[in-house]
Amino acid sequence: RQRQMCMRDRFTGCSDDNDEQVLIPAEDINGTYENGSEVSLLSLTYSGEAYTGGSVKFTTSDNKTATLILTDVIPGSTEVTIEGIQLAESEDAYTFSGSSTFTRATSGSIEYSGSVRSGSLTLSLNVTMPDPSGWAGTYRFADVSIDATGGTEASACYCEITGGNDGYQYWFRPILGLVLPQVLDEITLSADGNVVAGYNQDAVQFPADADGFMGLISGGFSQDVVDGYIAGRSYVDSPKNLAYWIETDGSMLVKLNAGAIVSQALSSGSNITIDFSTLINSILDTDATGLRELLGNLSGLLGDNATLVTTILNSVDDSSLNTLLGWVKNGFPLNVEQADGHTHIYIDREVMSVVVGILANEDVMALITGMLPEEYQMAAGLISQFVYNWDTTTEFKLGLDLVK
């Protein structure tokens, strides 16, 4: 009789409790999901915008709770794990939502929601980054100020130099102080880690002749001059998820989403979006030797820039090239100082030394000289003199002078 009841009621639980039906077997949804994958497709948004790059590993053992491991998704954190995620059944997928925290110097928070089905994972993230120094906010460039001698004391360009190249600060402040406001407007360090800037793509304008150019250096620079050059320019905000700021031990890293930048640049003007993340990541995961070989094979894609890129690659020593790779992959190191309502974000002597090492190569300088318009050939001489004086330069700070 027991056997007959089991046969009759086999759909109502007379069999072993372990035979409980599940919507999708765990083995069909467990795995690592990536953009562009044909078998485990990741559709990821960060602050409401599509995110290119990174991967997400999804695991569940009971189809009730799950764990997500985010790799190269949260800026400044190679890997972030979210555990105890509650799964809910929908028509053909498991859905989930909730919040979590992650910690560096201070805690940040993640709000997440998504769904998983066989072959695809959809995930939406809203992140608040750790910001112990209160750097998040919207900034504009500092106004021009002139010292008692007629020299430029402050501008959009922050520059302090001591030692052999100290005179160059009186060139950098007015020249870059004129260039930067033509290219950029407001700069926002968002709470989610995004760097968003208002930018203008029109050609940068300079004084029409050498006398006007020298006039900027010798007391002819002012805020009125800057206002005249930027009059009529319009600025649009850069897309999200291309660059991020990260605070680490009182310094800042600016990390580029290189795959997204290249994909967007090469897809510009086309209805087809090409994801170059896999290619870019393979480049960044190699070393100096591998990079030379890989870019040598891809030289046809570099167009007019192939000669310059090849010359630099062949001129830079392995140590410097590996340093540059590390910066692109992990973030460019910047210093931050705040005083009298100004925020200075700049590179220092250690970072600039890598650039000077590249400029010291004769082949690189010859290419740069050839690229300069005839009326600005004097710049090549200034660069060469700067490189020559570098060893006696004891302090170097070059960057942005910003106010909130």
Side-chain angles (χ1 to χ4, degrees):
R1 179 175 176 82
Q2 175 68 21
R3 181 169 177 269
Q4 291 175 338
M5 290 178 64
C6 285
M7 292 178 64
R8 184 187 63 201
D9 298 331
R10 61 187 181 276
F11 297 112
T12 61
C14 183
S15 59
D16 194 298
D17 289 342
N18 291 331
D19 292 337
E20 180 182 354
Q21 296 294 309
V22 295
L23 179 66
I24 309 171
E27 58 267 25
D28 288 352
I29 51 178
N30 286 342
T32 299
Y33 295 80
E34 298 177 319
N35 296 114
S37 172
E38 295 181 358
V39 293
S40 299
L41 179 63
L42 174 63
S43 298
L44 176 61
T45 59
Y46 188 100
S47 296
E49 301 289 339
Y51 184 96
T52 302
S55 65
V56 178
K57 183 178 181 180
F58 178 95
T59 56
T60 181
S61 59
D62 59 7
N63 293 68
K64 296 178 181 178
T65 61
T67 297
L68 292 176
I69 300 177
L70 314 177
T71 302
D72 293 329
V73 172
I74 306 300
S77 299
T78 302
E79 188 174 281
V80 172
T81 300
I82 306 174
E83 298 177 316
I85 298 170
Q86 301 298 308
L87 302 178
E89 293 186 1
S90 65
E91 183 176 347
D92 63 344
Y94 288 101
T95 62
F96 53 87
S97 63
S99 61
S100 183
T101 60
F102 64 101
T103 303
R104 290 205 290 268
T106 57
S107 292
S109 64
I110 304 173
E111 294 183 359
Y112 60 86
S113 62
S115 62
V116 62
R117 53 179 49 82
S118 181
S120 67
L121 172 69
T122 299
L123 181 61
S124 173
L125 300 175
N126 287 286
V127 177
T128 301
M129 299 288 285
D131 183 21
S133 298
W135 292 343
T138 297
Y139 298 81
R140 64 173 179 83
F141 287 123
D143 290 337
V144 175
S145 63
I146 305 300
D147 63 23
T149 67
T152 303
E153 186 176 49
S155 72
C157 171
Y158 172 68
C159 186
E160 298 289 342
I161 305 174
T162 57
N165 280 318
D166 59 349
Y168 279 81
Q169 60 193 315
Y170 302 106
W171 289 71
F172 283 130
R173 288 179 196 144
I175 294 174
L176 294 181
L178 181 62
V179 170
L180 288 169
Q182 294 184 62
V183 178
L184 300 174
D185 187 19
E186 292 184 334
I187 299 173
T188 298
L189 305 180
S190 301
D192 64 2
N194 265 287
V195 178
V196 177
Y199 69 97
N200 178 279
Q201 292 182 303
D202 296 340
V204 173
Q205 301 297 315
F206 284 106
D209 53 38
D211 289 340
F213 187 83
M214 293 303 297
L216 293 177
I217 314 301
S218 55
F221 190 52
S222 67
Q223 187 60 41
D224 286 342
V225 171
V226 174
D227 291 342
Y229 272 85
I230 64 176
R233 287 180 177 258
S234 59
Y235 301 82
V236 296
D237 285 343
S238 59
K240 291 182 178 180
N241 298 336
L242 297 184
Y244 306 91
W245 67 276
I246 303 150
E247 181 169 1
T248 172
D249 298 326
S251 297
M252 181 183 292
L253 293 176
V254 171
K255 187 177 188 304
L256 304 180
N257 187 342
I261 292 172
V262 172
S263 298
Q264 185 169 107
L266 296 182
S267 302
S268 179
S270 170
N271 293 325
I272 301 174
T273 300
I274 305 172
D275 185 0
F276 287 89
S277 298
T278 301
L279 173 61
I280 296 300
N281 288 336
S282 68
I283 293 175
L284 297 179
D285 285 337
T286 189
D287 59 10
T289 302
L291 180 63
R292 290 189 181 96
E293 180 179 349
L294 183 59
L295 289 185
N297 294 332
L298 297 174
S299 59
L301 297 177
L302 300 175
D304 295 338
N305 297 314
T307 301
L308 178 60
V309 172
T310 301
T311 300
I312 291 176
L313 287 177
N314 292 333
S315 304
V316 179
D317 61 84
D318 285 359
S319 176
S320 297
L321 194 51
N322 286 327
T323 297
L324 291 171
L325 279 170
W327 289 346
V328 176
K329 182 176 181 179
N330 302 312
F332 291 88
L334 300 173
N335 298 277
V336 181
E337 294 177 355
Q338 294 177 308
D340 300 324
H342 289 245
T343 298
H344 302 143
I345 303 176
Y346 62 90
I347 61 172
D348 58 18
R349 192 184 189 284
E350 181 179 359
V351 171
M352 190 63 188
S353 291
V354 178
V355 179
V356 169
I358 297 172
L359 296 175
N361 183 274
E362 292 181 359
D363 292 334
V364 173
M365 271 308 304
L367 274 174
I368 292 175
T369 302
M371 295 168 62
L372 290 171
E374 183 177 351
E375 61 269 29
Y376 294 116
Q377 283 294 311
M378 62 176 293
L382 292 171
I383 295 172
S384 296
Q385 187 64 39
F386 182 87
V387 172
Y388 181 80
N389 292 336
W390 183 250
D391 287 345
T392 59
T393 300
T394 55
E395 181 183 51
F396 183 87
K397 300 177 179 180
L398 179 65
L400 308 179
D401 191 341
L402 304 171
V403 294
K404 281 188 176 181

